[in-house]
Amino acid sequence: MRIVSLAGGIGGARFLRGLRAAAPDSEITVIGNTGDDIVLYGLQVCPDLDTVMYTLGGGIDEEQGWGRRDESHVVKEELAAYGVEPQWFGLGDRDFATHIVRTQMLRAGYPLSAVTEALCARWEPGVRLIPMTDDRVETHVVVSDELGRRAIHFQEWWVRMRASVPAERIVLVGADEARPAPGVLEAVAEADAVILPPSNPVVSIGTILQIKGIREALEGKTVVGVSPIVGGAPVRGMADACLAAIGVETTAQAVLELYGSPLLDGWLVAEEDAGVGLDGVRVEARPLIMHDVEAATAIARAALDMATDLAASRGRATGSGSEAAGARNEATGARSEASGARNEAAGAQDEEER
């Protein structure tokens, strides 16, 4: 089975660990969000790609969900001693190595997709990880604070401010010119199922969908999403602050409507959100909290089961349509034969009369 999944950071990565366990023999391609990417200390940092890579590769700090396990922060402390900014974004010593290698390869002319493939060769995540685009894009947030109305990088709003200042707008800078990275559209075209993890619907999944051609390609596939909202609150993080910025309520129903039925075929919600619905989308309720790998695996298996059943239903409907078309063609052929027979009989009668 060929599976494609879109993913942001912590929630997406933990779901992918369950997806990999639920479908060990499948070919899984992960399209990773790069809107969070930022240049720090002259280095290119790709938080979501790295979180997926570290989590699936066994190197993640399980407690915080990001960064490396057994990390130290000597370099960060030395930079702070020199007064180097920003000091609000914590890169560990082991993590620095990843960003140094990535930056060196990018400066040598390699595209981000090739760099990501090279980094994954070490970590062996068990999936094919592709950035959504090789082009530079950055998520910026418009805020009004003591410095006035201004646009800041998403990471400053998310990490330094903890989304405490309301976002007036969230903009993916560079989206108009960005194109899907090599392999993205091909993976979607070949997929038997597409799964949307419980990642942030605005700045993770929503960001990926803004890259030209990706949403359109997905709308032709069987797509099942897992709600990131449980009982009116985000499962993790501050997705509610992002949803408020685009005028969407923090509910499983509102996120379902945000994605829409042209994109989604199925939607998994928490048991407390049973009753959610949208025409054209199958909705099922089940426990959605990923307490551990086993819980994540159960959620992923439920999403895959739904996708498989929906794809089979679509196939049966297509088959029924083909059979009906065939019957119509046979009927048309029969009428043509009957008309031909009548014409032959009329011709024979004319000859007899002559």
Side-chain angles (χ1 to χ4, degrees):
M1 186 178 190
R2 294 188 179 94
I3 304 168
V4 166
S5 183
L6 280 57
I10 300 172
R14 288 178 173 173
F15 176 85
L16 289 170
R17 194 158 51 184
L19 180 62
R20 188 181 59 182
D25 299 323
S26 293
E27 190 177 300
I28 303 174
T29 298
V30 178
I31 302 171
N33 170 46
T34 60
D36 292 6
D37 292 8
I38 186 172
V39 176
L40 294 170
Y41 318 115
L43 301 176
Q44 183 69 33
V45 181
C46 301
D48 284 1
L49 294 179
D50 291 344
T51 295
V52 170
M53 183 175 70
Y54 292 156
T55 299
L56 298 183
I60 199 73
D61 183 318
E62 290 288 349
E63 184 175 345
Q64 63 185 13
W66 53 270
R68 292 284 303 280
R69 184 180 63 231
D70 301 325
E71 189 59 283
S72 57
H73 295 86
V74 175
V75 174
K76 179 177 181 294
E77 292 165 2
E78 288 296 309
L79 288 170
Y82 281 113
V84 176
E85 297 288 347
Q87 296 181 21
W88 46 263
F89 199 100
L91 296 178
D93 298 330
R94 296 174 185 271
D95 202 21
F96 262 109
T98 299
H99 310 315
I100 291 170
V101 173
R102 176 186 293 116
T103 304
Q104 286 181 335
M105 291 188 70
L106 289 172
R107 289 176 180 170
Y110 291 95
L112 182 59
S113 53
V115 175
T116 302
E117 183 178 2
L119 293 173
C120 285
R122 173 195 173 181
W123 289 99
E124 299 181 350
V127 302
R128 183 187 181 196
L129 177 60
I130 313 176
M132 65 187 191
T133 182
D134 280 336
D135 300 313
R136 183 173 178 176
V137 292
E138 289 186 359
T139 301
H140 288 193
V141 181
V142 177
V143 299
S144 293
D145 59 10
E146 65 278 4
L147 298 177
R149 190 171 189 267
R150 59 198 180 104
I152 59 176
H153 194 285
F154 170 76
Q155 295 292 354
E156 182 174 358
W157 180 68
W158 192 256
V159 178
R160 186 176 76 84
M161 295 182 173
R162 302 296 298 168
S164 59
V165 177
E168 298 176 15
R169 288 184 64 201
I170 296 177
V171 181
L172 183 62
V173 178
D176 292 342
E177 295 79 28
R179 295 294 181 270
V184 168
L185 296 184
E186 292 81 359
V188 172
E190 296 171 0
D192 299 303
V194 177
I195 308 296
L196 305 186
S199 294
N200 191 305
V202 181
V203 295
S204 293
I205 304 297
T207 300
I208 299 171
L209 294 176
Q210 288 187 57
I211 303 302
K212 289 182 180 178
I214 294 182
R215 185 183 186 107
E216 292 77 7
L218 292 173
E219 288 179 356
K221 310 302 292 188
T222 301
V223 181
V224 172
V226 180
S227 175
I229 306 300
V230 172
V235 174
R236 183 184 177 93
M238 300 166 285
D240 50 346
C242 298
L243 288 167
I246 63 171
V248 175
E249 294 181 350
T250 306
T251 66
Q253 177 69 44
V255 176
L256 168 59
E257 294 172 0
L258 174 65
Y259 286 148
S261 59
L263 174 66
L264 285 179
D265 298 287
W267 187 233
L268 285 182
V269 300
E271 292 170 311
E272 48 264 63
D273 294 316
V276 164
L278 186 68
D279 288 344
V281 180
R282 181 188 298 181
V283 179
E284 294 180 4
R286 56 153 297 113
L288 288 188
I289 302 300
M290 294 185 288
H291 298 290
D292 48 32
V293 176
E294 288 71 24
T297 302
I299 297 168
R301 187 174 293 116
L304 284 175
D305 288 345
M306 181 189 284
T308 300
D309 189 53
L310 285 167
S313 299
R314 177 180 289 179
R316 288 192 294 271
T318 301
S320 299
S322 298
E323 290 176 7
R328 288 194 295 271
N329 291 337
E330 289 180 10
T332 300
R335 287 195 295 272
S336 297
E337 290 177 8
S339 177
R342 287 195 297 272
N343 290 338
E344 289 179 9
Q349 183 176 355
D350 288 343
E351 289 181 6
E352 289 177 3
E353 290 176 352
R354 286 198 295 271

